[in-house]
Amino acid sequence: MAVKRKHIIITAIVFCVIVIAAFAGSLSSGKSEKFFVVEKGTFEATLNCKGEINGLVATPIPMPKILGDRDLRIWQLKILDLAQDGKYVKKGDFIIQLDASQIISGMREEQQNLETEEADLKNAKIDSTVRLTALREDIKNAKLDLEYNKIDLEQSIYESAAYQRKAQMTYKKAENLIAKKQRDYLLEQNKLKMQVARSEERVKRSTERISKFQQAMQAARITAPEDGIVIFGESWDGTKYSKDGDISTWSNGPPIATLPDMSEVISETYVKEIDISKINVGDKVRVSFDALEGVIIDGNIKSIARVGEDHKDFDMKVFKVIIHLDESNEGLKPAMSSNNAIILADEQEALYVPINAIIKENGENFVYLRKHNNKEKTLVTVGFENEEFIQIKSGLKEGDKVILNPLLEES
């Protein structure tokens, strides 16, 4: 009985020792989790931004210039039908059909106007012929009168001086009348020429407008200028072109569609103005795709916009950034979304600490070191940061123990 009691007591003591040791270990473990030992290692920081894939080179399909000719007075047209967005097309394949009813109506109106103008021209030519013929007959009769007066003047030498004077004046008056009629003839001739020329110009202009309407009817059916994948553009309000929608005929506007060449690929993305100073042309980028699981393609920044712009998806100014991919992939399609990880820092022998070890005061960065059970506030210079760690440029060395959440530690 005594032996059994002794065995129970020993077992109880051992159990207590184990519990106390486990509790002490847990305290020690909890205590150690509040420190981070600084070591050199691989450090990477990235700036992540969404982008849109496109071909480096794309053939635009603009609005045909003839449709935007102001002489036709057509400002917008309805889309009757269009090819499937993202479809591969060959040169000459159908892209979009625009409603030509306005064009047909305008051409009919102009054809009626041409008939009127041609009738006016015919009448102007007839009037000109009749009027000038009459004036020429009038000049011819005036010349006959002058001949008669000349004979009378020659016979007046046998008459009195007064009669001779009268005959001279009559002859001179007849000469002046012929000169006036000839001047009037030239003036009338020029006047009628101008009237006929203006009428001919109206006929010519009307004929040219009809020719433009005919060209516009043919241009209302738009085909692919090259082989490629058709990507339809957007109107001024940002909506993508679609069936039964309206499209502006302004030829200097955005293209109706583009045919990107996907042999060389870019990703268009936007970077907030607070981050734009962190990146530079030539920075490396890792590009992945939501639609292509496991596909990662390296690239680099090709260009950065010099001027910021407003964007509907951001609450601040953004800068457009073009990323050039090192290679293409058969699964890549125009307008596909991409995940762009711009590499800000990639060092093999870097010092870094957890972000929650850094204290910011008055624009400077500090950490608290644990030295011989004492806390020591230390100024540090930091670099880039990722989701967990921040790079230390100066102020720390390998082996230093930094306190995590030092403000909580104080409390």
Side-chain angles (χ1 to χ4, degrees):
M1 188 70 176
V3 173
K4 185 176 181 180
R5 184 180 297 174
K6 183 177 180 181
H7 178 71
I8 293 172
I9 293 172
I10 293 173
T11 301
I13 293 172
V14 170
F15 177 76
C16 291
V17 170
I18 291 173
V19 170
I20 293 171
F23 180 72
S26 66
L27 288 177
S28 175
S29 175
K31 189 75 173 177
S32 65
E33 289 178 356
K34 297 181 181 180
F35 299 93
F36 180 83
V37 179
V38 179
E39 295 180 355
K40 283 187 176 181
T42 301
F43 178 83
E44 181 183 88
T46 60
L47 178 64
N48 299 307
C49 45
K50 281 281 188 180
E52 185 175 283
I53 292 298
N54 216 326
L56 177 62
V57 178
T59 302
I61 304 178
M63 173 65 66
K65 288 186 177 181
I66 187 63
L67 295 178
D69 193 316
R70 293 187 178 183
D71 197 28
L72 301 184
R73 302 183 182 92
I74 299 173
W75 314 123
Q76 67 178 19
L77 293 171
K78 183 177 288 296
I79 299 172
L80 294 182
D81 195 13
L82 71 171
Q84 183 180 354
D85 196 31
K87 177 184 177 183
Y88 180 82
V89 295
K90 293 184 178 181
K91 183 177 180 180
D93 282 355
F94 168 77
I95 296 296
I96 191 169
Q97 177 65 58
L98 303 176
D99 185 3
S101 58
Q102 286 189 62
I103 303 172
I104 295 172
S105 175
M107 184 170 67
R108 287 176 178 171
E109 183 180 340
E110 196 58 44
Q111 285 172 335
Q112 293 174 353
N113 183 58
L114 177 60
E115 292 176 1
T116 302
E117 296 295 347
E118 286 177 334
D120 290 343
L121 174 60
K122 184 178 180 179
N123 291 334
K125 287 181 177 180
I126 293 172
D127 291 344
S128 176
T129 301
V130 172
R131 177 62 177 157
L132 292 178
T133 299
L135 290 176
R136 283 193 296 269
E137 285 295 321
D138 199 18
I139 292 172
K140 185 178 179 180
N141 292 333
K143 286 182 178 180
L144 290 174
D145 290 341
L146 181 64
E147 287 294 325
Y148 175 80
N149 289 329
K150 183 179 181 181
I151 294 171
D152 191 42
L153 178 62
E154 291 173 347
Q155 295 296 322
S156 69
I157 59 175
Y158 304 107
E159 304 293 336
S160 64
Y163 188 85
Q164 291 180 24
R165 179 62 180 162
K166 181 180 177 182
Q168 289 174 352
M169 291 177 65
T170 301
Y171 181 79
K172 186 65 177 177
K173 184 177 180 181
E175 278 188 326
N176 291 340
L177 181 61
I178 289 175
K180 180 179 182 302
K181 287 182 179 295
Q182 288 175 332
R183 290 194 302 271
D184 289 346
Y185 177 83
L186 292 175
L187 289 172
E188 188 69 13
Q189 185 182 48
N190 289 334
K191 176 183 175 182
L192 293 171
K193 278 184 177 179
M194 290 179 63
Q195 288 178 351
V196 170
R198 282 196 291 267
S199 187
E200 288 177 336
E201 181 62 30
R202 287 193 290 270
V203 170
K204 179 183 176 182
R205 186 165 60 247
S206 186
T207 302
E208 289 177 345
R209 285 197 73 205
I210 291 174
S211 177
K212 287 181 179 179
F213 278 119
Q214 291 171 340
Q215 294 175 48
M217 286 182 62
Q218 295 179 350
R221 180 179 176 84
I222 300 171
T223 57
E226 301 289 344
D227 296 354
I229 299 173
V230 59
I231 301 298
F232 284 101
E234 298 177 347
S235 60
W236 295 108
D237 60 3
T239 57
K240 205 172 186 68
Y241 293 132
S242 60
K243 186 178 179 180
D244 297 329
D246 293 326
I247 185 169
S248 170
T249 59
W250 189 30
S251 58
N252 291 329
I256 295 174
T258 55
L259 300 172
D261 178 3
M262 299 302 289
S263 61
E264 277 196 85
V265 185
I266 60 171
S267 173
E268 298 180 1
T269 187
Y270 291 90
V271 174
K272 295 180 180 179
E273 59 182 347
I274 59 173
D275 294 323
I276 199 64
S277 61
K278 300 176 182 178
I279 66 174
N280 296 286
V281 172
D283 284 353
K284 293 182 178 180
V285 186
R286 280 197 309 272
V287 185
S288 59
F289 315 93
D290 294 336
L292 300 176
E293 186 176 354
V295 175
I296 298 176
I297 301 176
D298 292 332
N300 60 82
I301 295 178
K302 181 180 178 66
S303 66
I304 301 173
R306 295 188 177 184
V307 180
E309 59 183 277
D310 294 319
H311 195 284
K312 62 181 180 179
D313 296 329
F314 297 88
D315 56 0
M316 64 178 69
K317 292 280 186 181
V318 292
F319 290 76
K320 190 173 184 178
V321 176
I322 303 297
I323 298 168
H324 183 270
L325 277 63
D326 292 347
E327 59 185 271
S328 184
N329 183 287
E330 61 181 8
L332 294 179
K333 305 296 182 185
M336 182 180 287
S337 62
S338 64
N339 306 305
N340 305 309
I342 303 173
I343 299 174
L344 305 177
D346 184 15
E347 295 186 20
Q348 300 301 314
E349 295 290 323
L351 293 178
Y352 55 88
V353 298
I355 294 174
N356 60 359
I358 300 294
I359 302 298
K360 296 182 182 292
E361 293 182 2
N362 300 321
E364 294 182 317
N365 296 284
F366 297 89
V367 297
Y368 281 89
L369 298 179
R370 175 66 71 183
K371 291 187 176 181
H372 309 296
N373 294 325
N374 294 320
K375 292 171 61 175
E376 183 178 301
K377 188 177 182 180
T378 303
L379 176 67
V380 294
T381 303
V382 300
F384 292 110
E385 64 181 63
N386 55 32
E387 294 181 355
E388 298 181 60
F389 300 99
I390 186 167
Q391 188 179 18
I392 301 298
K393 294 290 188 179
S394 65
L396 294 178
K397 63 182 184 300
E398 282 188 278
D400 284 342
K401 278 187 175 183
V402 295
I403 300 175
L404 304 180
N405 299 312
L407 297 183
L408 294 177
E409 179 75 10
E410 287 182 350
S411 61

